[in-house]
């Protein structure tokens, strides 16, 4: 944001009324406790805009949009030079299903703050939904001028050109967006639609695959980066913990979920989530204690049985772990995760054949799961030396999921190792298109340089 968070700060006097949760609203106990803390902070410092902002973001992050809007409107009156307050008041209207009101207020934000890039993004997105093509064009061109490194500018204009049938212009704009940020999945998906309309079917399939599996997230700003830290609803915290674990930060996931224990200590979902995060963090003893508590609360929790099987595999308690996996499969015979847990147990005991058998069972339950093909391929190649069979599984993986960078890397390395240098180089070219600068490409290039 231009000039810092509270540039030109001038707080009006007296401060606006403090916004509290509506009477009669039932709140989650952790949400209630957190809001009470922030409300007390505002009571002690009623003229502090930063504390008002935190309260507004907490209301928004926990779904209390009416209270969030009133807080942001109060903040707007305190610091009229601040564009984020009126913008988030308009966002709250969107969440309250008042699209017309939000549209008017987004336009007012860009009128009052013409150099505020996130405001133009919001206008552009709203205009796309309204079908207001002139305003879409104005908004995204302005965004491109104000934030030349922001991929959403050319992507938004490219989406407009796609809807107008101006495919070559759309292609140029969307390729520009991807060049700015290769991880911009919405831009890939739109480019796939352009390629499909141009008859470039192979390129279209790859682009659509690269663009799948992600929600369309707004342009980030200083407040949006803070908002997740205010989430206190249990499903949101579990999702955050899973994301942290997937990013290789399981210790932070454990710390996050421990804060929820005093409020949700007997919730099986929380205990199971803590067990998963603790096991990934190498704290398998603690993980076992958590998952045991989850199963005491719900003895037929298939998710907890699978988790305990994996924890017991890590602890070397293989017979007990297999009993958990078998019980999970009795309750849910075609549960992919239970078969994968069984495979993990067999792998932990160096029984590759039985591990492959369990993975094949998982594949029958989930035939479009490319990751299972990659796992089988790795065991066949590295553990059993069956390179031909491994090759078939890697080929199946990239056929199912053309943008699976790890599968392509493994395929290329195996092609190179078996002397098929022409195929390996073709795979290398494909991997450049899929994951330029990625770890998978580096691994393949390293293998191709080895003597």
């Amino acid at each position: 944001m231009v000039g810092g968070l509270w540039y030109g700060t001038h707080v009006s006097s007296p401060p606006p009324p403090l916004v509290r949760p509506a009477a009669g609203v039932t709140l989650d106990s952790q949400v209630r406790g957190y809001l009470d803390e922030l409300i007390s902070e505002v009571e002690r410092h009623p003229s502090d805009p930063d504390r008002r902002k935190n309260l507004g973001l907490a209301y928004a992050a926990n779904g209390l949009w009416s209270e969030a809007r009133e807080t942001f409107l109060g903040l707007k009156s305190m610091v009229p030079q601040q564009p984020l307050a009126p913008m988030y008041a308009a966002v709250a209207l969107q969440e309250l299903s008042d699209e017309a009101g939000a549209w008017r207020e987004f336009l007012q934000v860009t009128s009052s703050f013409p150099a505020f890039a996130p405001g133009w993004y919001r206008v552009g997105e709203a205009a796309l939904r309204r079908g207001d093509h002139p305003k879409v064009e104005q908004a995204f061109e302005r965004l491109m001028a104000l934030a030349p490194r922001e991929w959403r500018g050319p992507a938004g204009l490219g989406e407009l050109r796609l809807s107008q049938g101006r495919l070559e212009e759309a292609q140029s704009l969307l390729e520009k967006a991807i060049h700015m940020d290769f991880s911009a999945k919405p831009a890939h998906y739109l480019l796939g639609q352009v390629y499909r309309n141009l008859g470039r079917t192979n390129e279209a399939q790859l682009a659509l695959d690269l663009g799948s599996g992600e929600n369309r997230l707004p342009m980030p700003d200083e407040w949006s980066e803070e908002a997740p830290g205010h989430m206190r609803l249990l499903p949101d915290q579990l999702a955050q913990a899973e994301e942290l674990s997937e990013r290789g930060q399981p210790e932070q996931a454990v710390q996050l979920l421990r804060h929820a224990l005093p409020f949700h200590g007997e919730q099986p979902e929380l205990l199971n989530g803590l067990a998963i995060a603790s096991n990934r963090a190498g704290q398998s003893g603690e993980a076992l204690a958590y998952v045991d508590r989850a199963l005491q609360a719900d003895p037929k929790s298939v998710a907890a049985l699978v988790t305990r099987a994996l924890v017991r595999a890590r602890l070397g308690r293989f017979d007990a772990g297999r009993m958990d996996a078998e019980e999970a499969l009795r309750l849910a015979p075609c549960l992919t995760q239970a078969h994968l847990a069984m495979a993990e147990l067999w792998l932990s005991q160096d029984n590759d054949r039985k591990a492959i058998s369990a993975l094949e069972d998982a594949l029958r339950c989930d035939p479009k799961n490319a990751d299972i093909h990659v796992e089988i391929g790795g065991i066949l190649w590295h553990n059993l030396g069956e390179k031909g069979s491994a090759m078939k599984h890697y080929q199946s993986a990239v056929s199912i999921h053309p943008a699976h960078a790890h599968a392509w890397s493994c395929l290329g390395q195996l092609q190179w190792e078996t002397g098929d240098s022409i195929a390996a180089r073709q795979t290398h070219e494909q991997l450049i298109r899929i994951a330029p600068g990625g770890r998978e490409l580096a691994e393949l290039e390293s293998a191709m340089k080895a003597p």
Side-chain angles (χ1 to χ4, degrees):
M1 191 185 76
V2 178
L5 189 58
W6 300 115
Y7 65 89
T9 299
H10 171 73
V11 178
S12 62
S13 181
L18 172 60
V19 179
R20 300 177 186 274
V25 173
T26 301
L27 294 177
D28 173 280
S29 59
Q30 189 175 7
V31 172
R32 169 68 72 180
Y34 183 59
L35 291 176
D36 285 346
E37 291 178 16
L38 297 181
I39 288 169
S40 295
E41 284 291 309
V42 175
E43 286 176 329
R44 287 194 293 271
H45 305 277
S47 296
D48 184 345
D50 201 53
R51 287 177 169 84
R52 297 263 180 172
K53 177 260 298 180
N54 288 338
L55 180 58
L57 290 178
Y59 282 139
N62 294 289
L64 297 169
W65 287 104
S66 294
E67 292 84 348
R69 175 168 168 77
E70 292 305 313
T71 301
F72 293 135
L73 288 174
L75 191 55
K76 174 186 173 183
S77 70
M78 292 175 71
V79 192
Q81 317 82 325
Q82 214 319 326
L84 281 167
M87 188 183 82
Y88 271 81
V91 170
L93 274 186
Q94 274 188 322
E95 295 293 335
L96 293 167
S97 300
D98 186 353
E99 291 287 346
W103 170 248
R104 289 191 297 270
E105 293 192 11
F106 285 140
L107 290 175
Q108 183 58 50
V109 169
T110 55
S111 175
S112 300
F113 304 97
F116 182 52
W120 286 107
Y121 164 78
R122 297 283 181 169
V123 168
E125 284 291 305
L128 277 170
R129 290 194 295 273
R130 295 169 63 88
D132 187 339
H133 289 187
K135 188 58 73 173
V136 173
E137 189 154 359
Q138 178 195 13
F140 286 118
E141 285 183 348
R142 191 80 177 108
L143 177 57
M144 290 168 66
L146 292 169
R149 297 183 180 179
E150 172 53 57
W151 65 267
R152 290 170 181 82
L157 194 53
E159 184 171 359
L160 173 63
R161 296 294 180 247
L162 171 60
S163 72
Q164 295 171 328
R166 296 160 65 174
L167 299 180
E168 288 78 9
E169 292 178 58
Q171 177 187 336
S172 176
L173 286 160
L174 291 165
E175 287 176 347
K176 179 180 180 179
I178 290 165
H179 181 73
M180 290 176 174
D181 185 349
F182 193 81
S183 69
K185 287 193 172 189
H188 281 288
Y189 194 81
L190 289 166
L191 184 59
Q193 293 178 296
V194 172
Y195 286 152
R196 187 168 56 194
N197 285 321
L198 289 170
R200 296 163 60 174
T201 54
N202 290 337
E203 291 169 284
Q205 183 55 52
L206 178 58
L208 291 169
D209 203 51
L210 283 166
S212 66
E214 182 175 286
N215 293 327
R216 187 160 166 156
L217 299 176
M219 178 180 171
D221 56 64
E222 293 181 38
W223 288 9
S224 69
E225 293 172 3
E226 294 180 37
H230 294 285
M231 290 179 175
R232 293 298 184 273
L233 290 170
L234 184 57
D236 292 331
Q237 292 180 95
L238 289 169
Q240 285 181 311
E242 180 63 22
E243 184 178 344
L244 286 167
S245 289
E246 290 178 354
R247 294 206 309 253
Q249 299 171 294
E251 296 86 359
Q252 292 186 23
V254 172
Q255 184 178 7
L256 170 68
L257 294 180
R258 279 178 179 161
H259 289 308
L261 269 178
F263 304 93
H264 306 285
E266 299 310 314
Q267 287 284 336
E269 296 83 2
L270 173 59
L271 294 166
N272 188 53
L274 262 168
I276 292 170
S278 298
N279 199 42
R280 289 173 175 171
Q283 303 165 11
S284 298
E286 291 185 24
L288 185 60
Y290 287 130
V291 75
D292 281 344
R293 285 173 58 187
L295 284 164
Q296 287 169 7
D298 183 2
K300 293 188 177 182
S301 170
V302 175
L305 285 166
V306 170
T307 298
R308 192 164 70 178
L310 293 169
V311 172
R312 284 173 162 169
R314 182 73 66 89
L315 292 169
R317 302 177 187 178
F318 303 119
D319 291 340
R322 281 196 300 275
M323 289 176 61
D324 284 329
E326 288 166 357
E327 177 63 9
L329 288 168
R330 186 187 69 79
L331 294 168
C334 208
L335 181 67
T336 302
Q337 290 81 1
H339 289 296
L340 295 176
M342 188 69 79
E344 181 66 25
L345 284 155
W346 289 123
L347 278 175
S348 298
Q349 298 172 83
D350 298 322
N351 194 325
D352 297 319
R353 292 296 177 191
K354 287 192 174 181
I356 289 174
S357 178
L359 289 167
E360 288 171 343
D361 289 338
L363 202 53
R364 280 189 283 274
C365 294
D366 191 4
K368 295 297 184 181
N369 191 323
D371 290 328
I372 300 174
H373 279 291
V374 173
E375 184 71 15
I376 295 174
I379 298 170
L380 288 168
W381 176 16
H382 298 294
N383 296 12
L384 299 173
E386 297 179 13
K387 298 178 183 179
S389 296
M391 188 85 73
K392 291 178 182 177
H393 279 283
Y394 291 139
Q395 289 167 340
S396 294
V398 298
S399 175
I400 292 168
H401 187 353
H404 198 306
H406 182 53
W408 280 109
S409 182
C410 291
L411 177 61
Q413 291 176 61
L414 183 53
Q415 289 167 334
W416 187 262
E417 184 173 308
T418 55
D420 193 348
S421 59
I422 294 175
R425 290 192 176 94
Q426 291 172 341
T427 298
H428 177 258
E429 292 174 3
Q430 181 75 341
L431 198 50
I432 290 173
R433 289 191 286 271
I434 292 167
R439 174 178 54 82
E440 298 85 0
L441 179 61
E443 289 173 350
L444 176 54
E445 289 176 344
S446 177
M448 292 173 71
K449 292 175 183 176

